[in-house]
Amino acid sequence: MKEDKATHSATWKSPSNLAIVKYWGKKDFQEPVNPSVSFSLSRAYTKTTVSLAQKKGSGFTFYLDNREEPGFRPRIQKFLDHVRARVPLIGNHHINIFSTNTFPHSSGIASSASAMSALVLCLADLQQQVSGRHHLNIREVSALARMGSGSAARSVYGGWSIWGRIPEIPESSDHYAIHFPDEIHPVFKTLHDDILIVSGQTKKVSSSAGHTLMNDHPYREGRIIQARENTLKLIRSLKQGNMDDFIEVTENEALSLHGLMMSSMPSYTLLHPNSLRIIREISDFREATGLPVTFSLDAGPNIHLLYPHHIEEEIIAWEKRQLQTFCEDGCIIRDRVGSGPEKIIDTEG
Ligand code: DP6
């Protein structure tokens, strides 16, 4: 596996992220039909090493957890073809990619966001090593990550970020994500995200297929308006620390995403009966205690339980008492807002 002596290598870890306002539907090449807002996770990340081999010609090998994974090849190949013009080393080097995730596959954590952003960070780093001058700035890196997976565009930042053009945010763009432009209220800088694994089964309909179903969706125009309004309301609440508005937007977005799936043609649902039971428990608990706890959903049945740091103890006790029983093998992954990608310096020489 390591017969080709590496000339250059780079290692990066890059997080997955959770969107509060969801990217759902595409236009042109990997551009979103609506803005999305997310935060990067702390513990859920991909660590990737890319090395350039002295083999003649281009091409690549891909290892996930030390095993060659042919299933991922077509997507990586397509991605490399798309970014070749911006990362010329792809055309004249053989690339070895070694990746590991800190979270289980199919855990409801978006692995394409962390995987594609980690890969792009390595390639950008290597391009600079090879050419000595070709420095890609963070927005260019985000734009390249977007070509691998839309949500990956947001993973190149720590904390909160926005992807998709919205006139009220002058720097926003459909081509790349930007770091949240204003100061975030402390309560949202340390937000917790406990991922309640209702089912670890591979989903029946991929996100990419779901995006495509938005092209002729009867609610498409309404969805675009809704996402813009929710984005503005979320931005305000993140700045002001307004939990009530945050909860309103977060749940509206999560349930709208699944509502759009249910009203697609053909229609489908990724929800599990236990997803709904947990949602009911959350709303009952909030009503009974007044504690600011809410939920989000990705394109899957698992619940992202969101709450501020200062109520961690009460929430964990309640999770164990009331919620864990609805999780597959009692599985809960505890995460929170993270600080973004990191370059790993090789100390083995
Ligand atoms: C529901 O980024 O996975 O998680 O661009 O086809 O790779 P591709 O789709 P992907 O879609 C993510 C959809 C989502 C919402 C979000 O992360 O904004």
Side-chain angles (χ1 to χ4, degrees):
M1 161 173 137
K2 286 221 169 163
E3 76 225 19
D4 310 307
K5 202 163 164 281
T7 52
H8 292 276
S9 80
T11 301
W12 281 80
K13 57 184 231 189
S14 188
S16 183
N17 66 71
L18 175 73
I20 298 299
V21 177
K22 312 288 183 184
Y23 144 55
W24 202 238
K26 306 184 192 192
K27 60 181 168 66
D28 302 327
F29 181 67
Q30 281 289 107
E31 289 181 33
V33 291
N34 63 264
S36 56
V37 184
S38 69
F39 61 85
S40 286
L41 293 168
S42 170
R43 295 201 183 127
Y45 61 83
T46 299
K47 183 175 157 198
T48 295
T49 298
V50 176
S51 62
L52 304 181
Q54 272 177 340
K55 218 172 184 174
K56 281 267 177 289
S58 58
F60 73 96
T61 43
F62 175 65
Y63 293 85
L64 182 62
D65 297 328
N66 282 323
R67 283 175 44 177
E68 199 153 7
E69 284 288 353
F72 290 95
R73 281 194 71 83
R75 189 163 183 179
I76 298 172
Q77 182 69 62
K78 195 169 155 210
F79 164 71
L80 293 175
D81 291 343
H82 275 293
V83 301
R84 195 179 296 254
R86 298 293 296 129
V87 188
L89 69 82
I90 293 168
N92 44 32
H93 290 84
H94 184 90
I95 297 167
N96 292 315
I97 307 166
F98 306 93
S99 272
T100 53
N101 292 331
T102 54
F103 49 93
H105 195 58
S106 306
S107 61
I109 299 176
S111 58
S112 62
S114 54
M116 285 299 177
S117 55
L119 176 58
V120 166
L121 285 157
C122 291
L123 290 173
D125 187 332
L126 285 168
Q127 188 59 52
Q128 198 179 355
Q129 288 183 35
V130 168
S131 62
R133 58 191 155 77
H134 199 96
H135 180 69
L136 293 168
N137 68 41
I138 192 71
R139 290 186 180 176
E140 287 174 303
V141 171
S142 171
L144 295 180
R146 182 201 100 223
M147 295 182 188
S149 177
S151 51
R154 301 182 308 240
S155 273
V156 303
Y157 301 101
W160 292 81
S161 60
I162 302 176
W163 172 43
R165 174 83 190 134
I166 181 151
E168 291 81 355
I169 309 284
E171 284 185 77
S172 63
S173 169
D174 288 341
H175 298 121
Y176 47 78
I178 58 167
H179 199 250
F180 193 87
D182 300 295
E183 186 61 24
I184 298 263
H185 189 278
V187 78
F188 293 118
K189 283 186 182 165
T190 53
L191 197 72
H192 284 247
D193 178 1
D194 292 353
I195 305 153
L196 309 178
I197 307 299
V198 166
S199 166
Q201 266 180 17
T202 311
K203 46 191 180 192
K204 287 187 303 235
V205 182
S206 70
S207 287
S208 298
H211 287 294
T212 307
L213 287 171
M214 285 308 289
N215 292 342
D216 303 311
H217 199 290
Y219 303 153
R220 181 184 162 95
E221 295 315 314
R223 167 59 193 158
I224 295 170
I225 294 167
Q226 178 196 39
R228 290 204 175 132
E229 285 171 0
N230 278 344
T231 297
L232 294 176
K233 187 165 165 182
L234 178 62
I235 289 172
R236 275 196 307 275
S237 72
L238 291 176
K239 291 197 282 194
Q240 294 164 356
N242 185 332
M243 259 296 165
D244 291 343
D245 281 1
F246 176 77
I247 291 172
E248 217 166 79
V249 171
T250 300
E251 296 187 0
N252 181 253
E253 278 292 314
L255 295 176
S256 296
L257 170 71
H258 285 264
L260 290 165
M261 294 174 194
M262 290 183 209
S263 49
S264 292
M265 194 61 88
S267 50
Y268 65 105
T269 184
L270 300 178
L271 292 176
H272 184 283
N274 284 352
S275 318
L276 295 174
R277 296 182 80 165
I278 294 174
I279 288 172
R280 172 63 68 85
E281 289 287 340
I282 294 169
S283 120
D284 289 352
F285 179 75
R286 191 168 62 222
E287 213 173 290
T289 62
L291 292 175
V293 56
T294 185
F295 69 88
S296 185
L297 291 155
D298 246 326
N302 302 319
I303 304 283
H304 289 253
L305 191 74
L306 307 173
Y307 56 91
H309 182 60
H310 69 271
I311 60 168
E312 182 182 19
E313 248 177 62
E314 293 102 302
I315 296 296
I316 290 184
W318 162 62
E319 255 176 24
K320 288 186 179 155
R321 220 172 41 239
Q322 296 286 123
L323 305 182
Q324 202 153 15
T325 176
F326 300 122
C327 300
E328 194 171 72
D329 303 322
C331 183
I332 299 178
I333 299 175
R334 296 206 165 85
D335 212 332
R336 57 196 292 179
V337 175
S339 55
E342 250 176 67
K343 181 176 163 93
I344 311 291
I345 308 293
D346 181 7
T347 48
E348 287 171 22

